[in-house]
Protein backbone atom coordinates (compact mmCIF):
# COMPACT_ATOMS: atom_id res chain seq x y z
CA UNK A 1 0.00 0.00 0.00
CA UNK A 2 1.56 3.28 -1.16
CA UNK A 3 1.09 6.21 1.20
CA UNK A 4 0.10 9.44 -0.54
CA UNK A 5 1.33 12.67 1.03
CA UNK A 6 -0.35 15.76 -0.39
CA UNK A 7 1.56 18.99 0.31
CA UNK A 8 -0.30 22.00 1.64
CA UNK A 9 0.12 25.69 0.85
CA UNK A 10 2.64 27.63 2.87
CA UNK A 11 1.41 28.76 6.26
CA UNK A 12 2.23 30.46 9.52
CA UNK A 13 0.92 28.47 12.49
CA UNK A 14 0.83 30.58 15.63
CA UNK A 15 0.68 28.30 18.64
CA UNK A 16 -0.64 30.01 21.76
CA UNK A 17 0.25 27.98 24.85
CA UNK A 18 3.38 26.78 23.05
CA UNK A 19 5.16 25.87 26.30
CA UNK A 20 2.27 23.78 27.59
CA UNK A 21 1.76 20.03 27.92
CA UNK A 22 -0.55 19.56 24.93
CA UNK A 23 1.84 21.40 22.64
CA UNK A 24 4.72 19.18 23.76
CA UNK A 25 2.84 15.86 23.66
CA UNK A 26 0.74 16.28 20.52
CA UNK A 27 0.90 19.47 18.50
CA UNK A 28 4.65 19.96 17.99
CA UNK A 29 5.39 16.24 17.39
CA UNK A 30 2.52 16.10 14.88
CA UNK A 31 3.88 19.09 12.98
CA UNK A 32 7.34 17.53 12.92
CA UNK A 33 6.02 14.22 11.58
CA UNK A 34 4.18 16.04 8.79
CA UNK A 35 7.41 17.92 8.05
CA UNK A 36 9.31 14.63 7.96
CA UNK A 37 6.70 13.23 5.55
CA UNK A 38 7.26 16.14 3.17
CA UNK A 39 3.82 17.62 3.72
CA UNK A 40 4.91 20.92 5.25
CA UNK A 41 6.38 23.43 2.79
CA UNK A 42 9.98 24.42 3.46
CA UNK A 43 8.91 28.01 4.07
CA UNK A 44 6.11 27.13 6.50
CA UNK A 45 6.66 28.49 9.98
CA UNK A 46 5.67 27.59 13.52
CA UNK A 47 5.53 30.61 15.82
CA UNK A 48 5.25 29.80 19.51
CA UNK A 49 3.51 32.26 21.81
CA UNK A 50 3.18 32.11 25.60
CA UNK A 51 3.82 34.16 28.72
CA UNK A 52 7.27 32.66 29.34
CA UNK A 53 10.14 35.02 28.57
CA UNK A 54 12.02 32.99 25.96
CA UNK A 55 13.92 33.78 22.82
CA UNK A 56 13.87 31.70 19.62
CA UNK A 57 16.68 29.42 20.78
CA UNK A 58 15.06 28.81 24.15
CA UNK A 59 11.84 27.77 22.44
CA UNK A 60 13.70 25.53 20.01
CA UNK A 61 15.20 23.68 22.95
CA UNK A 62 11.68 23.08 24.28
CA UNK A 63 10.65 21.76 20.87
CA UNK A 64 13.76 19.56 20.67
CA UNK A 65 12.97 18.05 24.08
CA UNK A 66 9.35 17.42 23.05
CA UNK A 67 10.43 15.61 19.89
CA UNK A 68 12.93 13.56 21.86
CA UNK A 69 10.25 12.41 24.30
CA UNK A 70 7.14 12.07 22.15
CA UNK A 71 8.41 11.07 18.69
CA UNK A 72 9.41 7.44 18.18
CA UNK A 73 13.15 6.83 17.62
CA UNK A 74 12.48 5.59 14.08
CA UNK A 75 11.14 9.04 13.20
CA UNK A 76 13.88 11.09 14.84
CA UNK A 77 16.23 12.11 12.05
CA UNK A 78 18.90 14.55 13.20
CA UNK A 79 19.14 16.62 10.00
CA UNK A 80 15.36 16.79 9.63
CA UNK A 81 14.93 17.88 13.24
CA UNK A 82 17.40 20.72 12.73
CA UNK A 83 15.58 21.86 9.58
CA UNK A 84 12.26 21.74 11.43
CA UNK A 85 13.67 23.70 14.37
CA UNK A 86 14.89 26.37 11.97
CA UNK A 87 11.24 26.96 11.04
CA UNK A 88 10.28 27.52 14.69
CA UNK A 89 10.41 30.86 16.46
CA UNK A 90 8.89 32.44 19.55
CA UNK A 91 7.25 35.64 20.79
CA UNK A 92 6.38 36.26 24.48
CA UNK A 93 2.71 37.23 24.70
CA UNK A 94 0.16 37.57 27.50
CA UNK A 95 -3.44 37.39 26.31
CA UNK A 96 -4.47 40.19 28.66
CA UNK A 97 -1.50 42.50 28.06
CA UNK A 98 -0.43 44.69 25.14
CA UNK A 99 3.19 43.55 24.90
CA UNK A 100 4.11 41.31 22.01
CA UNK A 101 1.14 41.81 19.69
CA UNK A 102 2.81 44.33 17.40
CA UNK A 103 5.85 42.04 17.15
CA UNK A 104 3.56 39.14 16.24
CA UNK A 105 1.85 41.20 13.55
CA UNK A 106 5.21 42.06 12.01
CA UNK A 107 6.34 38.41 12.12
CA UNK A 108 3.29 37.02 10.29
CA UNK A 109 3.30 37.05 6.50
CA UNK A 110 0.34 38.59 4.67
CA UNK A 111 0.55 36.13 1.75
CA UNK A 112 0.57 32.96 3.89
CA UNK A 113 -2.31 31.04 5.41
CA UNK A 114 -2.51 32.01 9.07
CA UNK A 115 -3.63 29.40 11.61
CA UNK A 116 -4.02 30.51 15.23
CA UNK A 117 -4.00 27.50 17.54
CA UNK A 118 -5.42 28.20 21.02
CA UNK A 119 -3.77 25.48 23.12
CA UNK A 120 -4.88 27.32 26.26
CA UNK A 121 -7.73 27.28 28.76
CA UNK A 122 -11.16 28.33 27.44
CA UNK A 123 -11.19 31.42 29.67
CA UNK A 124 -8.45 32.83 27.41
CA UNK A 125 -10.23 32.14 24.08
CA UNK A 126 -12.19 35.40 24.11
CA UNK A 127 -9.32 37.73 25.11
CA UNK A 128 -6.98 36.13 22.54
CA UNK A 129 -9.53 36.43 19.74
CA UNK A 130 -10.24 40.06 20.65
CA UNK A 131 -6.53 40.95 20.63
CA UNK A 132 -6.06 39.34 17.22
CA UNK A 133 -8.93 41.42 15.87
CA UNK A 134 -8.07 44.73 17.56
CA UNK A 135 -4.44 44.57 16.39
CA UNK A 136 -5.46 43.84 12.82
CA UNK A 137 -3.88 40.39 12.81
CA UNK A 138 -7.01 38.35 12.04
CA UNK A 139 -8.19 38.40 8.45
CA UNK A 140 -10.10 36.43 5.77
CA UNK A 141 -7.26 33.91 5.27
CA UNK A 142 -7.06 33.17 9.00
CA UNK A 143 -8.14 29.95 10.72
CA UNK A 144 -8.74 29.60 14.44
CA UNK A 145 -8.29 26.27 16.26
CA UNK A 146 -9.77 25.86 19.74
CA UNK A 147 -9.42 22.86 22.05
CA UNK A 148 -12.00 21.39 24.38
CA UNK A 149 -13.49 21.92 26.86
CA UNK A 150 -15.73 24.20 24.83
CA UNK A 151 -17.80 25.42 27.74
CA UNK A 152 -19.01 23.66 30.86
CA UNK A 153 -22.72 23.94 30.05
CA UNK A 154 -25.00 25.46 27.43
CA UNK A 155 -24.71 28.99 28.82
CA UNK A 156 -20.91 29.06 28.82
CA UNK A 157 -20.74 27.40 25.39
CA UNK A 158 -23.02 30.06 23.93
CA UNK A 159 -20.93 32.79 25.52
CA UNK A 160 -17.74 31.32 24.03
CA UNK A 161 -19.37 31.04 20.62
CA UNK A 162 -20.51 34.65 20.84
CA UNK A 163 -17.05 35.84 21.91
CA UNK A 164 -15.33 34.09 19.01
CA UNK A 165 -18.00 35.26 16.56
CA UNK A 166 -17.07 38.88 17.34
CA UNK A 167 -13.67 38.32 15.72
CA UNK A 168 -14.03 35.30 13.41
CA UNK A 169 -16.66 33.88 11.06
CA UNK A 170 -17.97 30.39 11.79
CA UNK A 171 -16.25 29.18 8.61
CA UNK A 172 -12.91 30.19 10.19
CA UNK A 173 -13.39 28.38 13.53
CA UNK A 174 -12.12 24.82 13.99
CA UNK A 175 -13.33 23.23 17.25
CA UNK A 176 -11.03 20.26 17.55
CA UNK A 177 -11.96 16.85 18.93
CA UNK A 178 -9.03 14.52 18.33
CA UNK A 179 -11.32 11.46 18.31
CA UNK A 180 -12.67 12.63 14.95
CA UNK A 181 -9.17 12.54 13.46
CA UNK A 182 -8.65 8.86 14.21
CA UNK A 183 -8.37 6.58 11.21
CA UNK A 184 -11.05 4.22 12.49
CA UNK A 185 -13.62 6.99 13.00
CA UNK A 186 -13.32 8.00 9.37
CA UNK A 187 -13.38 4.36 8.33
CA UNK A 188 -16.69 4.03 10.15
CA UNK A 189 -18.14 6.39 7.55
CA UNK A 190 -16.36 4.55 4.74
CA UNK A 191 -17.68 1.17 5.90
CA UNK A 192 -21.22 2.49 6.15
CA UNK A 193 -21.46 4.63 3.06
CA UNK A 194 -19.01 3.05 0.58
CA UNK A 195 -20.14 -0.56 0.91
CA UNK A 196 -23.49 -2.04 -0.02
CA UNK A 197 -22.96 -4.73 2.62
CA UNK A 198 -23.72 -2.71 5.77
CA UNK A 199 -25.92 0.30 5.08
CA UNK A 200 -29.08 -1.78 4.29
CA UNK A 201 -28.66 -3.46 7.71
CA UNK A 202 -27.87 -0.26 9.63
CA UNK A 203 -31.27 0.22 11.28
CA UNK A 204 -33.64 -1.00 13.96
CA UNK A 205 -34.79 -3.97 11.90
CA UNK A 206 -31.40 -5.68 12.08
CA UNK A 207 -29.47 -4.05 14.94
CA UNK A 208 -30.26 -5.05 18.52
CA UNK A 209 -28.20 -2.39 20.28
CA UNK A 210 -25.00 -0.33 20.10
CA UNK A 211 -22.25 -0.06 22.73
CA UNK A 212 -19.75 2.79 22.85
CA UNK A 213 -16.92 2.43 25.37
CA UNK A 214 -14.00 4.71 26.18
CA UNK A 215 -12.12 3.26 29.15
CA UNK A 216 -8.82 4.45 30.61
CA UNK A 217 -6.39 2.81 33.02
CA UNK A 218 -5.09 6.15 34.33
CA UNK A 219 -6.65 8.16 37.12
CA UNK A 220 -6.88 11.92 37.49
CA UNK A 221 -3.55 12.40 39.27
CA UNK A 222 -2.07 15.75 38.32
CA UNK A 223 -5.32 17.21 37.01
CA UNK A 224 -7.62 16.42 39.90
CA UNK A 225 -8.67 20.01 40.60
CA UNK A 226 -9.72 20.53 36.98
CA UNK A 227 -11.40 17.15 36.65
CA UNK A 228 -13.33 17.58 39.88
CA UNK A 229 -15.09 20.59 38.35
CA UNK A 230 -15.84 18.59 35.23
CA UNK A 231 -16.36 14.87 35.71
CA UNK A 232 -16.76 12.11 33.14
CA UNK A 233 -20.02 13.49 31.76
CA UNK A 234 -18.60 16.88 30.82
CA UNK A 235 -15.07 15.67 30.06
CA UNK A 236 -15.93 12.70 27.82
CA UNK A 237 -19.63 12.08 27.11
CA UNK A 238 -20.65 15.55 25.94
CA UNK A 239 -17.92 15.63 23.30
CA UNK A 240 -16.00 12.41 22.51
CA UNK A 241 -18.76 9.84 23.03
CA UNK A 242 -21.36 12.18 21.56
CA UNK A 243 -19.35 12.47 18.36
CA UNK A 244 -18.96 8.69 18.10
CA UNK A 245 -22.70 8.26 18.64
CA UNK A 246 -23.50 10.83 15.95
CA UNK A 247 -21.23 9.25 13.34
CA UNK A 248 -22.69 5.82 14.10
CA UNK A 249 -26.32 6.95 13.97
CA UNK A 250 -26.43 9.74 11.38
CA UNK A 251 -28.15 9.55 8.02
CA UNK A 252 -26.01 9.55 4.86
CA UNK A 253 -25.24 13.12 3.79
CA UNK A 254 -25.80 14.05 0.16
CA UNK A 255 -22.02 14.12 -0.30
CA UNK A 256 -18.86 14.16 1.81
CA UNK A 257 -19.08 17.85 2.64
CA UNK A 258 -18.28 19.55 5.95
CA UNK A 259 -21.60 21.29 6.54
CA UNK A 260 -23.72 18.48 5.10
CA UNK A 261 -22.04 15.96 7.39
CA UNK A 262 -22.39 18.24 10.40
CA UNK A 263 -26.04 18.87 9.54
CA UNK A 264 -26.68 15.13 9.84
CA UNK A 265 -24.82 14.89 13.15
CA UNK A 266 -26.89 17.78 14.49
CA UNK A 267 -30.10 15.95 13.57
CA UNK A 268 -28.99 12.99 15.66
CA UNK A 269 -28.32 15.15 18.73
CA UNK A 270 -31.70 16.82 18.41
CA UNK A 271 -33.38 13.41 18.16
CA UNK A 272 -31.84 12.11 21.42
CA UNK A 273 -34.42 11.22 24.05
CA UNK A 274 -34.19 12.70 27.54
CA UNK A 275 -32.39 10.28 29.86
CA UNK A 276 -34.21 9.14 33.00
CA UNK A 277 -32.36 8.72 36.30
CA UNK A 278 -32.82 4.93 36.05
CA UNK A 279 -30.74 4.95 32.86
CA UNK A 280 -27.67 6.67 34.34
CA UNK A 281 -24.96 5.09 36.49
CA UNK A 282 -22.20 7.18 38.03
CA UNK A 283 -19.10 5.86 39.75
CA UNK A 284 -15.90 6.84 41.58
CA UNK A 285 -12.85 4.61 41.79
CA UNK A 286 -11.79 3.68 45.31
CA UNK A 287 -8.32 3.16 46.72
CA UNK A 288 -6.50 -0.02 45.73
CA UNK A 289 -3.25 -1.01 47.42
CA UNK A 290 -0.90 1.92 46.99
CA UNK A 291 -3.12 3.52 44.35
CA UNK A 292 -5.10 6.43 45.82
CA UNK A 293 -8.86 6.81 45.46
CA UNK A 294 -10.53 9.39 43.27
CA UNK A 295 -11.23 11.71 46.21
CA UNK A 296 -7.55 11.52 47.18
CA UNK A 297 -6.45 12.31 43.62
CA UNK A 298 -8.93 15.18 43.49
CA UNK A 299 -7.91 16.34 46.98
CA UNK A 300 -11.58 16.70 47.84
CA UNK A 301 -12.87 14.20 50.44
CA UNK A 302 -16.48 15.31 49.90
CA UNK A 303 -16.37 15.12 46.11
CA UNK A 304 -19.46 13.81 44.34
CA UNK A 305 -17.89 14.07 40.91
CA UNK A 306 -18.02 10.93 38.77
CA UNK A 307 -14.92 9.29 37.34
CA UNK A 308 -17.20 6.78 35.57
CA UNK A 309 -20.54 7.16 33.85
CA UNK A 310 -22.76 4.77 31.91
CA UNK A 311 -25.98 5.70 30.14
CA UNK A 312 -28.74 4.08 28.14
CA UNK A 313 -29.71 6.45 25.34
CA UNK A 314 -32.56 6.35 22.85
CA UNK A 315 -32.92 8.12 19.49
CA UNK A 316 -36.41 9.02 18.32
CA UNK A 317 -36.29 8.65 14.57
CA UNK A 318 -37.28 6.07 11.97
CA UNK A 319 -33.89 4.42 11.76
CA UNK A 320 -33.20 3.93 15.48
CA UNK A 321 -36.49 3.78 17.34
CA UNK A 322 -36.31 0.88 19.86
CA UNK A 323 -32.51 0.50 19.45
CA UNK A 324 -30.75 1.44 22.71
CA UNK A 325 -27.29 3.00 22.64
CA UNK A 326 -25.27 2.14 25.75
CA UNK A 327 -22.43 4.57 26.52
CA UNK A 328 -19.75 4.16 29.18
CA UNK A 329 -16.49 5.82 30.06
CA UNK A 330 -14.30 5.72 33.12
CA UNK A 331 -10.91 6.14 34.76
CA UNK A 332 -8.81 3.44 36.45
CA UNK A 333 -10.49 0.66 34.54
CA UNK A 334 -9.07 -2.70 33.56
CA UNK A 335 -7.99 -1.75 30.07
CA UNK A 336 -7.30 1.24 27.86
CA UNK A 337 -9.88 0.83 25.14
CA UNK A 338 -12.07 2.91 22.84
CA UNK A 339 -14.51 1.02 20.67
CA UNK A 340 -17.96 0.94 19.11
CA UNK A 341 -19.82 -2.37 19.03
CA UNK A 342 -22.72 -2.79 16.62
CA UNK A 343 -24.63 -5.80 17.96
CA UNK A 344 -26.89 -7.29 15.31
CA UNK A 345 -30.00 -9.29 16.12
CA UNK A 346 -30.03 -13.05 16.05
CA UNK A 347 -31.53 -14.85 13.09
CA UNK A 348 -35.32 -14.95 13.30
CA UNK A 349 -35.23 -18.74 13.04
CA UNK A 350 -32.30 -21.07 13.61
CA UNK A 351 -32.16 -24.42 11.88
CA UNK A 352 -29.39 -25.51 14.25
CA UNK A 353 -29.69 -26.78 17.80
CA UNK A 354 -29.04 -23.93 20.21
CA UNK A 355 -26.40 -24.44 22.88
CA UNK A 356 -26.93 -21.25 24.85
CA UNK A 357 -24.25 -19.35 22.92
CA UNK A 358 -25.51 -16.28 21.10
CA UNK A 359 -24.81 -16.60 17.40
CA UNK A 360 -25.64 -12.99 16.62
CA UNK A 361 -23.16 -11.09 14.47
CA UNK A 362 -21.37 -8.01 15.76
CA UNK A 363 -19.18 -5.38 14.17
CA UNK A 364 -16.52 -3.97 16.50
CA UNK A 365 -14.81 -0.72 15.55
CA UNK A 366 -11.61 -0.19 17.59
CA UNK A 367 -10.33 3.35 17.97
CA UNK A 368 -7.53 2.53 20.38
CA UNK A 369 -5.33 0.66 20.83
CA UNK A 370 -4.69 -1.26 17.60
CA UNK A 371 -7.05 0.71 15.38
CA UNK A 372 -9.16 -1.56 13.23
CA UNK A 373 -12.41 -3.46 12.87
CA UNK A 374 -13.58 -7.01 13.26
CA UNK A 375 -16.82 -8.64 12.21
CA UNK A 376 -17.98 -11.56 14.30
CA UNK A 377 -19.50 -14.31 12.15
CA UNK A 378 -20.81 -17.75 13.01
CA UNK A 379 -19.16 -20.79 11.44
CA UNK A 380 -19.00 -24.52 12.04
CA UNK A 381 -16.32 -25.58 14.47
CA UNK A 382 -13.80 -27.75 12.58
CA UNK A 383 -13.81 -31.49 13.21
CA UNK A 384 -16.25 -34.38 13.39
CA UNK A 385 -19.08 -34.70 15.86
CA UNK A 386 -21.95 -32.76 14.38
CA UNK A 387 -22.77 -29.17 13.56
CA UNK A 388 -21.11 -27.28 16.40
CA UNK A 389 -21.23 -23.53 15.85
CA UNK A 390 -18.66 -20.99 17.02
CA UNK A 391 -18.25 -17.26 16.64
CA UNK A 392 -15.02 -16.10 15.02
CA UNK A 393 -13.80 -12.61 14.08
CA UNK A 394 -12.91 -11.47 10.60
CA UNK A 395 -10.19 -9.09 11.72
CA UNK A 396 -8.71 -6.05 10.00
CA UNK A 397 -6.10 -4.25 12.06
CA UNK A 398 -5.21 -1.15 10.06
CA UNK A 399 -1.53 -1.19 10.98
CA UNK A 400 -1.27 -4.69 9.51
CA UNK A 401 -3.58 -4.25 6.53
CA UNK A 402 -2.76 -0.71 5.40
CA UNK A 403 0.49 0.40 7.04
CA UNK A 404 3.14 0.82 4.31
CA UNK A 405 6.19 -1.28 5.22
CA UNK A 406 5.15 -1.33 8.85
CA UNK A 407 4.98 2.46 9.16
CA UNK A 408 2.97 4.00 11.97
CA UNK A 409 -0.56 5.22 11.28
CA UNK A 410 -0.46 9.03 11.55
CA UNK A 411 -1.66 10.52 14.83
CA UNK A 412 -5.09 12.17 14.75
CA UNK A 413 -3.54 15.58 15.37
CA UNK A 414 -1.42 15.27 12.23
CA UNK A 415 -4.50 14.88 10.08
CA UNK A 416 -6.53 17.54 11.86
CA UNK A 417 -3.81 20.21 11.75
CA UNK A 418 -3.31 19.67 8.02
CA UNK A 419 -7.09 19.86 7.52
CA UNK A 420 -7.02 23.26 9.21
CA UNK A 421 -4.38 24.48 6.74
CA UNK A 422 -6.44 23.13 3.83
CA UNK A 423 -9.58 24.82 5.14
CA UNK A 424 -11.43 21.50 5.52
CA UNK A 425 -13.88 21.61 8.45
CA UNK A 426 -15.36 18.12 7.94
CA UNK A 427 -13.80 16.64 11.09
CA UNK A 428 -14.44 19.66 13.32
CA UNK A 429 -17.48 20.59 15.40
CA UNK A 430 -19.74 23.45 14.44
CA UNK A 431 -21.05 25.95 16.99
CA UNK A 432 -24.69 24.86 16.85
CA UNK A 433 -23.60 21.23 17.21
CA UNK A 434 -21.72 22.03 20.44
CA UNK A 435 -24.67 23.94 21.84
CA UNK A 436 -27.13 21.15 20.98
CA UNK A 437 -24.91 18.62 22.78
CA UNK A 438 -24.88 20.76 25.90
CA UNK A 439 -28.66 21.30 25.68
CA UNK A 440 -29.07 17.50 25.91
CA UNK A 441 -26.36 17.00 28.56
CA UNK A 442 -27.29 19.78 30.98
CA UNK A 443 -30.62 18.30 32.22
CA UNK A 444 -28.91 14.99 33.03
CA UNK A 445 -26.28 16.73 35.16
CA UNK A 446 -28.82 19.08 36.76
CA UNK A 447 -31.04 16.16 37.74
CA UNK A 448 -28.34 14.25 39.62
CA UNK A 449 -26.96 17.42 41.19
CA UNK A 450 -30.44 18.22 42.49
CA UNK A 451 -30.67 14.74 44.07
CA UNK A 452 -27.25 15.14 45.65
CA UNK A 453 -26.48 11.42 45.56
CA UNK A 454 -22.95 10.05 45.64
CA UNK A 455 -21.46 8.04 42.78
CA UNK A 456 -21.18 4.30 43.35
CA UNK A 457 -17.72 3.05 44.34
CA UNK A 458 -15.86 0.69 42.05
CA UNK A 459 -12.57 -1.16 42.34
CA UNK A 460 -9.65 -0.06 40.21
CA UNK A 461 -8.74 -2.38 37.36
CA UNK A 462 -12.35 -3.47 36.78
CA UNK A 463 -15.13 -2.67 34.31
CA UNK A 464 -16.71 -0.14 36.64
CA UNK A 465 -19.47 -0.35 39.28
CA UNK A 466 -21.84 -3.31 39.45
CA UNK A 467 -24.75 -0.95 38.79
CA UNK A 468 -23.40 -0.43 35.25
CA UNK A 469 -23.61 -4.16 34.60
CA UNK A 470 -27.20 -4.16 35.86
CA UNK A 471 -28.01 -1.34 33.44
CA UNK A 472 -27.73 -3.87 30.62
CA UNK A 473 -28.62 -7.06 32.48
CA UNK A 474 -32.12 -5.79 33.12
CA UNK A 475 -32.55 -5.63 29.32
CA UNK A 476 -31.16 -9.18 28.95
CA UNK A 477 -27.99 -7.78 27.40
CA UNK A 478 -24.39 -7.58 28.54
CA UNK A 479 -21.46 -5.26 28.05
CA UNK A 480 -18.65 -6.52 25.89
CA UNK A 481 -16.06 -7.62 28.43
CA UNK A 482 -13.12 -5.23 28.58
CA UNK A 483 -10.82 -8.22 28.86
CA UNK A 484 -12.01 -9.73 25.60
CA UNK A 485 -9.65 -9.58 22.65
Amino acid sequence: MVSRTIPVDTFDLILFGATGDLAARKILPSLYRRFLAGQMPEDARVIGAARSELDDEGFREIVRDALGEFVSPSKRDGDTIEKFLAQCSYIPIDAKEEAGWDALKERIRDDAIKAFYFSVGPSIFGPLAERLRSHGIAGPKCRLVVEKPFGTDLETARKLNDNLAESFDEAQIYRIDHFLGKETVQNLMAVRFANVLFEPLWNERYIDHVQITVSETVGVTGRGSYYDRSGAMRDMVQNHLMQLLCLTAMEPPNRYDADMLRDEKLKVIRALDPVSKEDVVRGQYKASGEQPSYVQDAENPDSRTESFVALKVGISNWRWKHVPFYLRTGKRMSRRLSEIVIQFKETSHSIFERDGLSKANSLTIRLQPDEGMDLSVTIKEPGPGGMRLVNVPLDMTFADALGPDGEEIPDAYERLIMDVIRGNQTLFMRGDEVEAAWAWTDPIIEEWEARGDRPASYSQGTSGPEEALALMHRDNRRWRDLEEE
Side-chain angles (χ1 to χ4, degrees):
M1 179 69 65
V2 177
S3 178
R4 294 190 301 163
T5 299
I6 303 173
V8 297
D9 293 336
T10 192
F11 62 88
D12 287 343
L13 187 145
I14 300 87
L15 178 56
F16 292 95
T19 59
D21 181 64
L22 180 63
R25 285 187 300 107
K26 291 293 185 180
I27 302 171
L28 293 168
S30 293
L31 285 164
Y32 166 75
R33 284 190 287 263
R34 288 300 88 203
F35 181 78
L36 179 66
Q39 197 167 18
M40 276 179 59
E42 293 184 358
D43 58 347
R45 299 188 302 182
V46 179
I47 304 171
R51 288 182 297 178
S52 301
E53 290 293 335
L54 296 170
D55 58 13
D56 290 348
E57 286 304 317
F59 177 59
R60 287 169 184 153
E61 283 304 309
I62 290 177
V63 178
R64 190 193 306 276
D65 291 343
L67 302 185
E69 183 173 359
F70 297 108
V71 173
S72 63
S74 63
K75 299 282 187 180
R76 294 201 296 264
D77 176 78
D79 290 342
T80 306
I81 288 176
E82 292 305 316
K83 291 178 182 177
F84 177 74
L85 293 176
Q87 297 184 228
C88 299
S89 61
Y90 182 85
I91 295 177
I93 285 180
D94 188 320
K96 299 179 181 180
E97 302 293 338
E98 287 296 323
W101 292 101
D102 289 340
L104 177 62
K105 184 176 182 179
E106 293 177 3
R107 183 81 58 91
I108 296 174
R109 296 168 293 178
D110 291 334
D111 58 345
I113 294 170
K114 292 175 279 294
F116 301 103
Y117 200 125
F118 287 4
S119 180
V120 295
S123 62
I124 310 298
F125 290 174
L128 281 178
E130 193 280 329
R131 295 285 183 184
L132 290 172
R133 179 182 57 81
S134 63
H135 285 82
I137 301 173
K141 292 186 71 175
C142 294
R143 288 90 192 253
L144 174 65
V145 186
V146 292
E147 285 276 353
K148 82 174 189 73
F150 201 82
T152 57
D153 53 22
L154 178 58
E155 181 182 357
T156 56
R158 280 177 173 164
K159 188 175 296 184
L160 276 175
N161 278 336
D162 291 343
N163 287 343
L164 296 181
E166 293 175 0
S167 304
F168 293 86
D169 295 333
E170 178 63 32
Q172 296 176 290
I173 301 173
Y174 294 72
R175 298 171 186 83
I176 196 167
D177 183 337
H178 70 274
F179 268 49
L180 295 183
K182 291 183 177 294
E183 197 71 39
T184 316
V185 173
Q186 295 167 79
N187 264 297
L188 169 60
M189 290 185 282
V191 165
R192 282 193 60 188
F193 303 137
N195 297 280
V196 72
L197 178 63
F198 289 109
E199 183 57 24
L201 308 180
W202 212 264
N203 55 62
E204 57 87 24
R205 183 177 177 184
Y206 298 102
I207 293 178
D208 179 78
H209 71 276
V210 177
Q211 300 180 28
I212 301 176
T213 296
V214 179
S215 68
E216 300 176 274
T217 57
V218 299
V220 300
T221 307
R223 58 193 293 257
S225 60
Y226 156 75
Y227 194 92
D228 204 45
R229 297 190 300 271
S230 172
M233 191 71 178
R234 290 186 175 98
D235 188 55
M236 295 296 292
V237 175
Q238 185 274 338
N239 40 74
H240 295 331
L241 273 73
M242 179 70 73
Q243 290 298 309
L244 299 182
L245 185 152
C246 287
L247 291 174
T248 303
M250 71 181 189
E251 295 297 317
N254 180 258
R255 63 178 181 273
Y256 191 67
D257 169 85
D259 275 326
M260 287 185 177
L261 189 145
R262 294 185 293 181
D263 286 344
E264 297 302 333
K265 288 197 293 176
L266 182 60
K267 291 177 185 177
V268 173
I269 299 173
R270 289 175 173 169
L272 293 176
D273 295 332
V275 178
S276 67
K277 64 179 182 180
E278 293 80 13
D279 291 333
V280 180
V281 174
R282 302 166 64 233
Q284 271 187 3
Y285 59 83
K286 56 188 179 182
S288 176
E290 296 183 358
Q291 294 288 352
S293 65
Y294 171 81
V295 296
Q296 291 172 310
D297 282 339
E299 299 180 350
N300 181 4
D302 297 320
S303 174
R304 302 193 179 197
T305 300
E306 74 286 353
S307 62
F308 173 98
V309 65
L311 306 94
K312 177 183 176 182
V313 178
I315 303 175
S316 288
N317 61 23
W318 282 78
R319 183 183 290 265
W320 297 113
K321 192 66 176 176
H322 309 305
V323 178
F325 283 67
Y326 297 95
L327 316 181
R328 64 174 170 173
T329 183
K331 303 283 189 183
R332 292 288 187 199
M333 298 180 72
S334 60
R335 185 180 173 197
R336 176 177 174 264
L337 178 73
S338 298
E339 69 176 17
I340 304 166
V341 179
I342 312 298
Q343 184 64 56
F344 292 95
K345 294 181 178 179
E346 294 197 27
T347 54
S348 56
H349 171 72
S350 177
I351 66 172
F352 305 107
E353 181 179 350
R354 294 187 179 273
D355 57 6
L357 173 67
S358 171
K359 302 303 188 298
N361 305 115
S362 63
L363 175 66
T364 301
I365 301 134
R366 300 187 305 274
L367 281 73
Q368 62 183 18
D370 304 323
E371 291 187 66
M373 299 186 185
D374 67 64
L375 176 65
S376 171
V377 296
T378 302
I379 66 168
K380 176 190 175 296
E381 185 176 17
M387 184 65 73
R388 298 188 306 273
L389 304 182
V390 293
N391 287 357
V392 297
L394 298 177
D395 177 70
M396 185 177 76
T397 300
F398 294 153
D400 297 335
L402 301 177
D405 301 322
E407 288 187 13
E408 301 172 6
I409 293 176
D411 183 83
Y413 274 89
E414 297 177 47
R415 177 176 296 104
L416 294 173
I417 292 172
M418 291 300 104
D419 278 354
V420 171
I421 304 304
R422 294 189 182 97
N424 183 354
Q425 290 185 304
T426 303
L427 300 177
F428 298 84
M429 292 179 288
R430 201 168 59 192
D432 55 358
E433 188 182 347
V434 173
E435 292 182 16
W438 279 119
W440 178 78
T441 305
D442 279 357
I444 301 172
I445 297 174
E446 290 166 1
E447 199 276 336
W448 76 48
E449 287 182 345
R451 294 199 314 268
D453 55 356
R454 288 187 176 277
S457 295
Y458 64 94
S459 299
Q460 299 184 37
T462 68
S463 298
E466 291 293 324
E467 289 85 346
L469 302 178
L471 183 67
M472 292 193 71
H473 286 171
R474 74 186 188 203
D475 296 337
N476 294 317
R477 299 183 176 101
R478 62 183 290 270
W479 291 105
R480 175 178 157 92
D481 193 330
L482 289 178
E483 297 306 318
E484 290 180 6
E485 293 292 341

